[in-house]
Amino acid sequence: MITSTSESLASELSAPALPEFPPNQWYVAALGWELQDKPLGRTLLNNPVVLFRKSDGMVAALEDRCCHRALPLSNGTLEASGIRCGYHGLLFDDAGKCVEIPGQDKIPSKARVAAYHVREQDQIVWIWFGSAAQPEPDCEPPHYAVHSSGQYLFDGSVYHYEAPYQLIHDNLMDLSHLGYVHLRTIGGNASIHMNARMSVESEGNVVRVVRHMRDSVPPPTYTAAYPFKGTVDRWQEIEFHVSHLRIWTGAVDAGSDSLDDPERGGFHMRGFHGVTPETATTSHYFWTIATNPASDPQAIKDKVVEQTILTFDEDKQVIEAQYRNLCRFGARPMIDIHVDVGANRARRIIEQLRQA
Ligand code: FES
Ligand SMILES: [Fe+2]
C-alpha cells in the first residue's frame, strides 16, 4: 500500500508539467503604433520581453535582461544598430548578440540575450515563443484585413487586466451581457439579448457564435453613430481563435437587409481582441474597433472609439471583480446556462491544446 502511494507520487512528480498556456501560437505582443522611438518592456506568457522598432522600421523582441548585470533592456535606448543597455552601455542587435562593449575590444561569445520570433502585420505585432518541440513557427501570423482594406476607420488601445485571460474569453464569447453591463453604450434591451437567436459552430480550433436580434431598439452608440429610422435588426458574429477574437457587430433598419448577406449595409463595428496572458493571473487585452461612418468620418469614428472605451472599461470592472470573488470563494462549482455554449467550447479547445 505504502509502495503504491509512493509510486503514484513519484510518477506524478516525474510527469511533465502541462504548459500553462497553449504553446506554439502567434500571440499579440503589441499594437504597431505602440512601438515608436522607445523600447517597450512587457511580460508575455511569463516571459519578460523588450520590444522595439529598428531603424529600418521592422520590429524586434529580446529577453528583457541585460546579460551583464541584468538591468531590464527596456530601460535602455534605441540606436541605429540595436538597443543599448541603460547601465554600462552594452549594445545588442535584433538577434540578441552583443555588438559593442564600451571601452573593451573583445566581446565574449556568451554576451548575448535570447531573441524571439516577432512579426508585424496589419498594424498588429505578433510573437511566437513556441516550445522545446517546436521552437520555430510553422505558420505565418494571422491576417486582419479590417485594418488594411481601407473600408473602415479604426483605433484601439491596450488594457492590463488583473485577471486570467480565459475570463476575458468568456466575456467576449457571450455577448448576452450587453443588456446588463453596457446600457450606456452598446447594450439595449436585456430580454432581447437573452432571447437572441444563437448558433454555435466550430472548425478546428476556431469557434463561431452568431446571434441575431431582430426588430430591437438601437442602443445609444448606434443612434449616435448612424441615422437609423426606427427599430433595427442587429447581428453579433464572434469568431474565437486561440490568441484573439474577431467580433463583427452592427445593425440595419429593421427588415431592410439580410443579416446573412456579408455585403449588408447599415452600421458596422468590427472589433479585434488580442488576449495574451501576462501570467497565470494577469493579462493583456489589445483591442481595436473599426467602423464605417455614413457621414463625418473622423467625428463618427472618434465617437465610436469613445463609446467603446466606456464599454471596455465596464467589462474590465466586471471581470476583475469576478476574479477577486473567484479568489475569495475558492474552487466552488458554477452552473452553466444557455448563453455559455460558445465560451465553454473555447475553454475546451484551450484545455485540449495544453494537454496535446
Ligand atoms: S547591466 Fe547592462 S550593461 Fe551593465
Ligand atoms: Fe462587454
Side-chain angles (χ1 to χ4, degrees):
M1 197 64 186
I2 292 169
T3 311
S4 98
T5 305
S6 344
E7 271 172 5
S8 77
L9 181 62
S11 68
E12 232 172 77
L13 290 175
S14 59
L18 281 181
E20 212 157 4
F21 315 112
N24 308 326
Q25 307 283 330
W26 287 103
Y27 283 95
V28 181
L31 296 172
W33 53 90
E34 289 188 274
L35 301 182
Q36 296 190 13
D37 54 356
K38 289 191 174 56
L40 172 69
R42 185 164 274 161
T43 296
L44 303 160
L45 287 79
N46 288 325
N47 300 291
V49 173
V50 57
L51 297 150
F52 58 96
R53 192 174 292 283
K54 301 187 289 172
S55 52
D56 64 2
M58 304 293 279
V59 293
L62 304 178
E63 188 176 34
D64 196 9
R65 176 189 178 278
C66 178
C67 58
H68 175 226
R69 288 294 182 266
L71 187 75
L73 287 174
S74 51
N75 285 29
T77 48
L78 299 185
E79 297 190 4
S81 47
I83 183 165
R84 191 176 292 279
C85 179
Y87 207 170
H88 313 95
L90 268 64
L91 180 66
F92 298 88
D93 68 12
D94 63 333
K97 184 171 178 309
C98 178
V99 292
E100 187 192 330
I101 300 178
Q104 176 176 321
D105 292 336
K106 186 162 169 27
I107 301 176
S109 59
K110 283 188 178 157
R112 58 181 315 126
V113 299
Y116 302 106
H117 294 283
V118 66
R119 300 247 214 302
E120 183 173 23
Q121 192 151 262
D122 305 315
Q123 300 190 55
I124 300 166
V125 178
W126 301 87
I127 194 162
W128 173 282
F129 294 108
S131 60
Q134 198 178 320
E136 297 297 319
D138 60 351
C139 58
E140 287 300 307
H143 267 294
Y144 189 60
V146 171
H147 283 179
S148 48
S149 69
Q151 201 185 341
Y152 294 96
L153 295 181
F154 70 94
D155 207 343
S157 186
V158 185
Y159 283 15
H160 182 264
Y161 262 75
E162 294 291 329
Y165 71 114
Q166 285 188 277
L167 293 186
I168 307 176
H169 289 168
D170 293 346
N171 170 279
L172 295 169
M173 290 300 282
D174 159 32
L175 296 188
S176 70
H177 74 265
L178 267 59
Y180 294 96
V181 180
H182 303 311
L183 291 177
R184 292 187 301 162
T185 56
I186 56 171
N189 183 292
S191 149
I192 293 265
H193 278 286
M194 296 307 282
N195 290 293
R197 204 193 76 198
M198 180 169 83
S199 67
V200 181
E201 288 171 6
S202 4
E203 195 183 332
N205 293 329
V206 176
V207 182
R208 283 191 195 84
V209 178
V210 177
R211 293 159 45 85
H212 288 169
M213 290 158 285
R214 293 184 190 277
D215 202 17
S216 57
V217 175
T221 303
Y222 285 37
T223 49
Y226 196 86
F228 289 112
K229 297 190 185 84
T231 59
V232 296
D233 292 340
R234 291 180 71 173
W235 72 84
Q236 297 169 329
E237 298 189 7
I238 306 151
E239 194 172 278
F240 167 87
H241 299 253
V242 173
S243 62
H244 68 286
L245 291 90
R246 298 154 187 238
I247 302 185
W248 182 19
T249 56
V252 294
D253 281 311
S256 68
D257 221 337
S258 162
L259 295 190
D260 298 319
D261 179 358
E263 302 299 323
R264 60 193 174 266
F267 170 62
H268 296 217
M269 291 174 75
R270 299 197 84 133
F272 174 85
H273 309 260
V275 185
T276 304
E278 178 185 50
T279 65
T281 57
T282 58
S283 314
H284 300 291
Y285 176 44
F286 304 89
W287 63 265
T288 69
I289 194 76
T291 191
N292 60 335
S295 62
D296 202 356
Q298 210 56 40
I300 297 290
K301 185 269 288 175
D302 289 347
K303 184 82 195 164
V304 168
V305 170
E306 178 191 306
Q307 298 260 304
T308 301
I309 290 170
L310 284 177
T311 306
F312 291 173
D313 287 348
E314 289 170 336
D315 283 317
K316 182 166 151 65
Q317 278 179 22
V318 166
I319 292 170
E320 291 184 338
Q322 176 194 16
Y323 182 55
R324 283 194 296 276
N325 225 25
L326 286 167
C327 295
R328 195 158 61 148
F329 282 90
R332 289 234 212 131
M334 293 187 270
I335 60 146
D336 283 344
I337 64 169
H338 61 106
V339 298
D340 300 318
V341 181
N344 287 347
R345 235 181 250 193
R347 278 187 174 261
R348 278 200 295 279
I349 287 171
I350 298 276
E351 204 43 46
Q352 280 160 8
L353 289 171
R354 288 181 58 231
Q355 309 252 4

